[in-house]
Amino acid sequence: MKFKNLIEKAVATYIDDVIAWRRHIHQHPEVSGQEKETSAYIQGVLDSLGIPYKNDVFQYAVIGIIQGGKPGKTVALRADMDALPIKEQTDLPFKSSNDGVMHACGHDSHMAILLGAAAVLNSMKEHLCGTIKLVFQPAEEEALINGAKNILASGILDDVEEIYGLHAWPDIPVGKIGFKKGNLMAASDHFYVHIKGKATHGAYPHQGKDAIVAAANWITAVESIVARETNPMENLVCTIGVFNAGQRYNVGAEDAYLEGTCRTYAPEKRDYIEARLSESLKALDLMFGTQSQLDYKRGHSATINNPEAIGFMEGVAKEYLGSDAIDHPLFPSMAAEDFGYYTQAIKGAFLWLGTGFEGNPALHNASFTIDESILKTGVTLMAGGIAELLAPGQAEA
């Protein structure tokens, strides 16, 4: 590894700034599609570092560009920008000032790490062969906006040969990095169901078509599809999280509304569960005389890591952080991330940055936080990996 000492010195120079950037971003969260001030703040930091950028790619996206001292390939780093509609319940002195909105998924740390890596790489750009694109992406949490897919569609990354990102991960101890080849995070779809029956007085159930009874049977059918039609060694999760029906205790319900999510890895399994949900509703209507509608919306694609890219970054981590920093998760996650759109189009890898310590809750929890030591770990790994990719000889290989 050519740049370890240089990277370590640069990280030490900027780490206090990285912490300050993270705290500012954490205190001023914005949800998907509303990241206006977050975008402006990132642009201000890039201006202060002398890094040019584009801000007309998609919504509030910012694409920084660092040009190395010599020609070479183009690579990218990505961080997501959006927060969640969650009321923060930490006692941090820099807790959210935007009531009801919180960085409960670590995106504040992702942005700070990318800004730190940008500062480090920009300080040594004359030693690098190639170009670095810094992708600050809006709307990761909202699949219907889909920041990754729209940034790719813009063409701004058409020349990128490799792309890397990371995510804060409570299931891995603080200070460790999770490296997993192949399947990492699942495809995520969102479905809506309306089951229409016929209302009747509760004393005369035979005169109506009870949408609640029909819906309860359908929920059981969905569970059976997963449990009895799916190979247990395959990845499929189907969860119904919303069930609304009825107007009064003594009236058979005319309408039932349900919402849920399906998580898969294999494209054919994704097609299968969508088709089976539709078929099961048709069967339900035959059985109960109801009229059902399914609105199935495809969300994020699965994030599948390139084995060579993961292997390269693991080698960098061993050199820069030591073997003790390496973690190999046994299983992929059924949680979703739109980084999968990048890895479908570009060679790349997504890493898990450990935030697990006693008492720290899961992601999307109102009390979630990080141990700020992970910021140094993340900056060192991301900057080190890109520097080694663009090292003389390596970049030209």
Side-chain angles (χ1 to χ4, degrees), residues 212 244-248 251-256:
I212 289 179
N244 293 317
Q247 299 293 326
R248 183 172 167 80
V251 176
E254 182 157 333
D255 297 284

Side-chain angles (χ1 to χ4, degrees), residues 83-120:
L84 290 157
I86 293 174
K87 184 176 178 64
E88 184 164 358
Q89 294 179 13
T90 74
D91 57 359
L92 296 171
F94 49 89
K95 69 184 295 183
S96 173
S97 61
N98 186 359
D99 189 45
V101 181
M102 177 194 175
H103 274 296
C105 199
H107 296 191
D108 52 336
S109 58
H110 305 167
M111 286 181 275
I113 287 168
L114 182 49
L115 287 170
V120 169

Side-chain angles (χ1 to χ4, degrees), residues 243-280:
F243 182 176
N244 293 317
Q247 299 293 326
R248 183 172 167 80
Y249 79 98
N250 64 345
V251 176
E254 182 157 333
D255 297 284
Y257 300 90
L258 304 95
E259 288 183 52
T261 182
C262 293
R263 307 297 175 102
T264 55
Y265 276 98
E268 59 271 21
K269 186 59 64 177
R270 196 178 198 182
D271 294 339
Y272 175 81
I273 190 60
E274 180 178 357
R276 289 297 287 130
L277 292 184
S278 178
E279 291 165 358
S280 64

Side-chain angles (χ1 to χ4, degrees), residues 191-208:
F191 62 82
Y192 306 80
V193 169
H194 177 200
I195 298 173
K196 186 168 186 60
K198 179 182 178 183
T200 184
H201 194 291
Y204 310 106
H206 58 289
Q207 294 180 359

Side-chain angles (χ1 to χ4, degrees), residues 28 48 54 124 224 242 282 300 347 385:
H28 301 89
S48 72
K54 294 183 179 295
M124 54 180 291
S224 296
V242 174
K282 292 177 183 177
H300 299 330
K347 176 182 176 181

